[in-house]
């Protein structure tokens, strides 16, 4: 309930849009024909931007040490002879270095413009890889480096290249694991095999003929192993029922595995042809340079394309919103239909949509022309509506999401999209018509309060989605996942904009029914199940008895724990857990997991300070308005009111937010980020907002 009393398994994205979102599926056996569901999620490969930064720094340090060693032990005269004998080598290496510099810039561009934290992680890894490759080839082109000589033709074996590969190839395989949601153990096995492959390749070049043959054969077998397992890793992630869904769409995963197999296959082919005398050393080096570039840059191009797809979707959404606003103005000004003739040059589908919107036919009473065109479109119109719905939810994967910027229809689309992204619809055979009817019923049960309204409920659902997909991938079960979504949307049902204290002091009917104990939260929970069990809204009808009991326990516990009266108790418990070393084996501990889920929903309910400042300010102003309304009512009823609820100007708002962040939100997130380090970046947003509020308060202080 936010401050009403005190004041991302990934199953992520196939259409892919933010945070380093990753949710898990899980569960017990099914008795309703859904098939067997797992009791918990796999130990999937995950990473945060901070982890990637440290890994990248470590990669660069290792590379610098290797390069320093190769320079220290180098024989300048031997290097001069090599480049004199092979006159094009420096040109090959220099050109490849320039190409990798371009690729690094592309990676940085993808990183900066990433539409989600997971894509930012993936782009960051590629930036480090391409940066190392760029400097490696630049070093090969310009510096005297230590090298070995092969045992057959006396050609140089560049240890710098193998050093670059031994650093970047396992990193790329790690990247593939993140992109395909693979098990950590699978990624580790493939990366280990790849390291053995590289070591075998180098050894086979310098050993005598027969030992070299067997080592090369073993390396080739290892290469086959790596490619088959990598192909299978992506293949699993592309399955429709794969859980949790990968951060990239299936078509991108298909391109990725094809690109990797084709480009990486060039290296053993070049080595084989060179040893058989079919190509000379320089031709082989040119082919290796091209293959190395293609192997790395192809991944970056696919990443950029995935980002552009979502950016374009956002622009379409923004255009849709702008057109909708324009049409509202047109209706209010009673623009005549003759003026609409100016749209004659517009595409027929767009024109018909505008005519339909202008005629106000959203209530089913549109003009005859609009109706006729809609009938002519038939099923095509339905498909277009579904596409528009996905676009309306296209900003789903960012922490900057704000429900105040969207229409009620957009928000319904966001809710449906969350259920789709987390795969609970297919997991529990939920009838999508019932899901939409349930959403509509829930929406109508939210009152027109400034703060505690339908938009706040969607904000809590969205933030819950991001929190779950960030930290709950390894322990949450499918039933609990469904319960969390239901609880998030239902947690403030029929909230009347008044606090528990008001209900208790006024001896309201709700306070009498619930004996002054978490009055509103008990009411919200009761209504949640009343709606949920209606025949046309029962989205949990396919759960077996044990599943329903767990779902009910999670929903009730989570909603009751949105009562700010329980905030200090939860905070103290988190402090104790952190003091003892954090949560242990949550997947097997039902009671601790129940507490963590309540913590996550409570965190989502306090969404204001973890949003960008403009969003934080708008929601805080709405809450202030709600408080002011209560104070007025309390004055009329001769009831006591709290001082912090009386202020109605920006200065009071700033002071209230400073106190709320300092004494409630920041201590909470400090413990939360200690328990779940992946969420520590939220403290940066909180600190930034706190600084903004302090600046506002200081400006008023100086005025006085």
């Amino acid at each position: 309930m936010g401050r009403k009393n005190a004041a991302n398994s990934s199953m992520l994205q196939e259409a892919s849009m933010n945070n380093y979102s990753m949710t898990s599926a899980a569960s017990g056996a099914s008795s309703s024909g859904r098939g067997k569901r797992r009791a918990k999620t796999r130990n999937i490969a995950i990473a945060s931007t901070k982890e990637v930064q440290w890994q990248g720094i470590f990669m660069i340090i290792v590379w610098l040490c290797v390069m320093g060693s190769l320079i220290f032990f180098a024989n300048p005269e031997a290097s001069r002879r090599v480049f004199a004998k092979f006159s094009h080598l420096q040109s090959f290496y220099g050109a490849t270095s320039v190409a990798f510099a371009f690729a690094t810039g592309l990676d940085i561009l993808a990183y900066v413009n990433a539409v989600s934290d997971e894509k930012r992680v993936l782009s960051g890894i590629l930036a480090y890889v391409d940066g190392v490759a760029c400097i490696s080839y630049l070093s090969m082109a310009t510096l005297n480096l230590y090298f070995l000589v092969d045992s057959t033709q006396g050609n140089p074996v560049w240890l710098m290249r193998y050093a670059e590969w031994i650093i970047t190839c396992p990193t790329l395989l790690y990247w593939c694991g993140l992109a395909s949601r693979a098990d950590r153990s699978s990624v580790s096995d493939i990366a280990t095999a790849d390291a053995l492959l590289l070591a075998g390749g180098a050894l086979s070049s310098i050993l005598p003929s027969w030992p070299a043959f067997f080592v090369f054969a073993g390396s080739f077998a290892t290469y086959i192993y790596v490619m088959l397992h990598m192909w299978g890793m992506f293949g699993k992630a592309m399955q429709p029922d794969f859980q949790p869904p990968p951060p990239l769409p299936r078509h991108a995963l298909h391109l990725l595995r094809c690109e990797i197999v084709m480009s990486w296959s060039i290296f053993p082919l070049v080595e084989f042809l060179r040893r058989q005398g079919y190509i000379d050393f320089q031709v082989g080096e040119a082919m290796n340079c091209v293959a190395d570039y293609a192997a790395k840059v192809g991944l970056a191009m696919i990443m950029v394309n995935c980002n552009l797809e979502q950016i374009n979707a956002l622009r379409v959404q923004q255009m849709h919103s702008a057109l909708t606003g324009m049409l509202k103005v047109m209706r209010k000004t009673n623009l005549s239909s003759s003026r609409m003739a100016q749209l004659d040059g517009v595409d027929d589908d767009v024109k018909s949509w505008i005519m339909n919107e202008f005629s106000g036919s959203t209530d089913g009473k549109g003009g005859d022309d609009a109706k006729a065109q809609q009938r002519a479109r038939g099923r095509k119109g339905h498909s277009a509506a579904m596409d528009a719905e996905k676009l309306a939810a296209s900003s789903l994967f960012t922490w900057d999401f704000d429900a105040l910027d969207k229409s009620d229809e957009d928000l319904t689309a966001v809710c449906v999209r969350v259920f789709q992204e987390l795969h609970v619809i297919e997991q529990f055979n939920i009838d999508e018509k019932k899901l939409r009817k349930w959403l509509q019923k829930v929406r109508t049960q939210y009152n027109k309060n400034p703060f505690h309204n339908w938009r706040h409920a969607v904000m809590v659902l969205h933030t819950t989605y991001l929190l779950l997909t960030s930290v709950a991938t390894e322990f949450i079960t499918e039933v609990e996942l469904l319960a969390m979504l239901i609880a998030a949307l239902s947690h403030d049902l029929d909230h009347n904009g008044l606090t528990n204290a008001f209900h208790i002091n006024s001896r309201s009917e709700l306070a009498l029914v619930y004996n002054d104990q978490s009055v509103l939260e008990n009411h919200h929970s009761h209504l949640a199940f009343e709606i949920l069990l209606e025949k046309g809204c029962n989205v949990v009808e396919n759960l077996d008895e044990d599943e329903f009991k767990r779902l009910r326990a999670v929903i009730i516990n989570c909603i009751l724990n949105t009562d700010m009266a329980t905030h200090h108790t939860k905070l103290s418990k988190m402090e104790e857990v952190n003091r003892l070393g954090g949560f242990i084996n949550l997947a097997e501990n039902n009671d601790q997991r129940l507490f963590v889920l309540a913590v996550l929903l409570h965190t989502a309910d306090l969404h204001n300070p973890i949003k960008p400042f403009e969003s934080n300010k708008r929601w805080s102003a709405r809450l202030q308005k709600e408080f002011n309304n209560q104070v007025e009512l309390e004055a009329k009823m001769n009831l006591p009111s709290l001082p912090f609820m009386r202020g109605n100007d920006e200065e009071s708002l700033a002071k209230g937010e400073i106190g709320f962040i300092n004494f409630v939100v920041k201590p909470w997130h400090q413990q939360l980020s200690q328990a779940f380090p992946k969420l520590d970046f939220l403290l940066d947003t909180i600190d930034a907002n706190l600084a903004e509020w302090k600046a506002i308060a200081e400006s008023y202080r100086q005025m006085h």
Side-chain angles (χ1 to χ4, degrees), residues 44-229:
I44 58 175
I46 56 176
S48 67
T49 51
K50 182 169 290 187
E51 289 169 346
V52 169
Q53 289 169 0
W54 282 111
Q55 290 169 359
I57 293 172
F58 176 76
M59 184 194 307
I60 291 175
I61 292 174
V62 171
W63 178 86
L64 288 174
C65 292
V66 171
M67 186 177 72
S69 300
L70 294 178
I71 295 174
F72 180 80
F73 291 105
N75 184 333
E77 181 60 26
S79 297
R80 186 192 64 78
R81 288 197 301 267
V82 166
F83 287 116
K85 179 180 179 181
F86 304 108
S87 58
H88 298 297
L89 282 186
Q90 287 182 308
S91 299
F92 293 159
Y93 299 151
T96 306
S97 175
V98 172
F100 271 115
F102 168 78
T104 305
L106 194 66
D107 296 328
I108 294 173
L109 181 65
Y111 180 90
V112 172
N113 295 286
V115 294
S116 72
D117 285 322
E118 277 199 302
K119 288 190 177 64
R120 187 169 291 109
V121 165
L122 294 175
S123 298
I125 294 173
L126 292 180
Y128 282 118
V129 167
D130 289 337
V132 167
C134 173
I135 304 176
S136 295
Y137 277 98
L138 181 62
S139 302
M140 291 168 65
T142 58
L143 300 176
N144 296 317
L145 300 173
Y146 181 73
F147 61 89
L148 301 175
V149 177
D150 70 34
S151 59
T152 56
Q153 298 171 327
N155 295 324
V157 178
W158 294 111
L159 294 182
M160 172 59 80
R161 168 171 284 151
Y162 280 98
E164 184 248 313
W165 285 349
I166 205 73
I167 293 172
T168 60
C169 290
T171 305
L172 288 177
L173 289 171
Y174 169 66
W175 184 94
C176 292
L178 294 177
S180 63
R181 287 276 197 272
D183 295 330
R184 285 194 184 97
S185 58
S186 298
V187 177
S188 178
D189 291 344
I190 298 175
T192 301
D194 185 68
L196 293 174
L197 162 64
L198 293 173
L203 282 175
S204 67
S205 297
I206 60 177
L207 290 174
S209 58
W210 282 108
F213 172 79
F214 287 112
V215 173
F216 183 79
S219 298
F220 188 77
T222 306
Y223 165 78
I224 298 298
Y225 170 88
V226 170
M227 289 296 102
L228 287 177
H229 281 70

Side-chain angles (χ1 to χ4, degrees), residues 506-538:
S506 65
R507 302 174 187 175
S508 71
E509 182 179 351
L510 286 179
L512 296 177
V513 168
Y514 295 113
N515 300 312
D516 296 348
Q517 302 299 309
S518 297
V519 177
L520 287 168
E521 292 75 22
N522 273 296
H523 180 54
H524 305 325
S525 182
H526 166 74
L527 276 181
F529 282 95
E530 191 175 83
I531 297 172
L532 196 59
L533 297 179
E534 286 186 14
K535 186 176 181 180
C537 300
N538 194 344

